[in-house]
Amino acid sequence: MRRKFLFLPLLLMFAGCVTHHFSPPPGLFPANAFITQRATFTARGKQFPLDGFLAMSETGGKRFVITAMMGVVVADILVKPDGKIYIMRSSQMFPEKYIRNGVARDLECIFGGADDKNCPVQMLDRKHFIVHRFGYTLDVRILDVKPGPQPAKLFDETKAAKQ
């Protein structure tokens, strides 16, 4: 009888974790903006501090650059308004496969545009988000949002950096 009582809370806890749907509240982020972020990426018990910027353009898409210590670019991605993903730069920390299946998906979940329902994002406040995925957790804090149009060259997929 006791086993049933122990199993039930576990079942209820995991039942809510199967699918998540998060959509940013309307107006949370301007359609055209430059957003500076700081994040902690936790995987396999190790934490990695990351910084990044996101340039958003309602006509050009989202350009997201992630840097590690000393400003080293570990990922640079462009997501066009139609959802097409361009890897502008990858690294050992974030290879192309991981950028496509993790970074781009998480970016779309937090900042809008996700077409799937699997967005395990917890919004703690208007500037603090936590993404819980199998294998990693991402704690994102928005440091600054500067509304306004962004340079068109940021959204040009032909301008990928040489690796």
Side-chain angles (χ1 to χ4, degrees), residues 13-35:
M13 183 174 78
F14 286 112
C17 296
V18 175
T19 59
H20 297 44
H21 182 62
F22 172 82
S23 293
L28 184 62
F29 301 108
N32 296 298
F34 187 84
I35 301 170

Side-chain angles (χ1 to χ4, degrees), residues 79-96:
V79 180
K80 297 298 250 180
D82 64 0
K84 187 153 170 85
I85 299 168
Y86 294 90
I87 308 299
M88 307 301 274
R89 180 181 282 180
S90 60
S91 67
Q92 283 185 322
M93 183 175 190
F94 292 108
E96 268 194 52

Side-chain angles (χ1 to χ4, degrees), residues 135-149:
Y136 72 90
T137 301
L138 182 65
D139 185 332
V140 179
R141 295 174 190 265
I142 307 299
L143 301 178
D144 191 32
V145 177
K146 293 180 183 168

